[in-house]
């Protein structure tokens, strides 16, 4: 079974730590991004999420990261855990980033 607990690192060098996943699949942790468009120093940011606890070990999951310590944006990630032939677990994710904009007419450019 996929175990999301622990440290994960992506191809860009961003790191995520997931604390223990509870029996319902809920978890918390922190995300340390390696990339940012803000001028403020990057800080570890809280995350909260949930995963399916599928018996085949290739669970889907999702989590939200609040970049409140250095930005006014929020990101959501969804993904699936895969076990490679050698037993290594790999997370494949997609994400959306919502940036704060000044007005409703600017809404079109707020989500990446």
């Amino acid at each position: 079974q996929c175990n999301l607990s622990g440290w994960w690192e992506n191809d860009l060098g961003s790191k995520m730590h997931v604390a223990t996943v509870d029996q319902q699949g809920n978890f918390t942790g922190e995300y340390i991004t390696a990339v940012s468009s803000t001028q403020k120093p990057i800080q570890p940011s809280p995350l909260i999420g949930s995963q399916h606890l599928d018996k085949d070990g290739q669970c889907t999951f999702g989590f939200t990261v609040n970049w409140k310590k250095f930005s006014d944006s929020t990101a959501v990630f969804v993904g699936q855990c895969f076990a490679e032939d050698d037993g290594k677990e790999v997370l494949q994710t997609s994400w959306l980033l919502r940036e704060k904009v000044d007005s409703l007419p600017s809404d079109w450019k707020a989500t990446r």
Side-chain angles (χ1 to χ4, degrees), residues 38-88:
T38 183
Q39 300 303 314
K40 296 178 182 176
I42 293 172
Q43 299 282 328
S45 300
L47 68 82
I48 186 166
S50 183
Q51 80 169 86
H52 283 274
L53 300 175
D54 299 337
K55 297 208 185 306
D56 69 1
Q58 303 201 112
C59 64
T60 60
F61 60 89
F63 60 90
T64 300
V65 179
N66 183 337
W67 308 109
K68 65 184 177 183
K69 294 184 178 180
F70 65 95
S71 174
D72 55 9
S73 62
T74 302
V76 293
F77 293 76
V78 293
Q80 185 171 349
C81 180
F82 293 96
E84 295 184 323
D85 291 339
D86 62 1
K88 180 181 176 185

Side-chain angles (χ1 to χ4, degrees), residues 10 12 31 35 63 67 74-79 92-98 111-112:
N10 71 13
L12 298 175
Y31 197 98
V35 295
F63 60 90
W67 308 109
T74 302
V76 293
F77 293 76
V78 293
Q92 291 294 322
T93 61
S94 298
W95 58 272
L96 290 172
L97 177 76
R98 176 66 188 215
T111 302
R112 296 194 272 149

